[in-house]
Amino acid sequence: MSTIPVPSSSSARVSGLQRLAATLRRADLVWLVAATYDTDAQVWHFEILRQGAQGSWVVQRYAYDIHNDIQHYRGEQIVADDQVRTMRAKAQRFDIAGWQDGSANV
């Protein structure tokens, strides 16, 4: 019986961020608030700050399943206006076009 090779957590992070970028428009203003790796489940969890469909700022949660190469949407939470500036200052701007083109700084 052969085993399926599992990508390293760092290469899986890149794949997950590329998948995430593919779901966004290049003109969107997005900040990567958190990127954490669950070693037991072998899943990357990403949280991004962006404007939601209703115009308010939201934190959206995604999980990248390494084994199945699937990005799961895990919901969103509205962020109070007074917290947006603080979150943006602490977070990293997400280079959507760079991740879509494969030129983003890994």
Side-chain angles (χ1 to χ4, degrees):
M1 186 163 141
S2 65
T3 59
I4 298 172
V6 177
S8 68
S9 65
S10 59
S11 69
R13 180 182 184 273
V14 170
S15 297
L17 290 172
Q18 287 172 333
R19 284 238 181 224
L20 179 59
T23 66
L24 302 168
R25 295 177 305 206
R26 288 177 178 242
D28 289 347
L29 297 176
V30 177
W31 284 261
L32 183 62
V33 176
T36 56
Y37 183 65
D38 180 340
T39 54
D40 294 330
Q42 294 183 326
V43 171
W44 270 100
H45 297 279
F46 302 112
E47 293 184 7
I48 60 172
L49 175 69
R50 66 183 295 209
Q51 282 191 304
Q54 303 300 320
S56 58
W57 287 93
V58 296
V59 170
Q60 294 180 331
R61 296 176 308 281
Y62 294 86
Y64 176 65
D65 179 342
I66 295 170
H67 289 287
N68 296 306
D69 191 28
I70 296 174
Q71 186 87 14
H72 299 279
Y73 174 73
R74 297 291 190 194
E76 66 185 33
Q77 182 176 7
I78 294 175
V79 177
D81 290 338
D82 59 337
Q83 293 178 320
V84 172
R85 183 172 294 158
T86 303
M87 290 182 76
R88 285 176 31 175
K90 292 179 181 178
Q92 175 186 358
R93 180 77 186 271
F94 188 62
D95 180 10
I96 298 168
W99 283 105
Q100 289 175 348
D101 297 341
S103 64
N105 286 334
V106 178

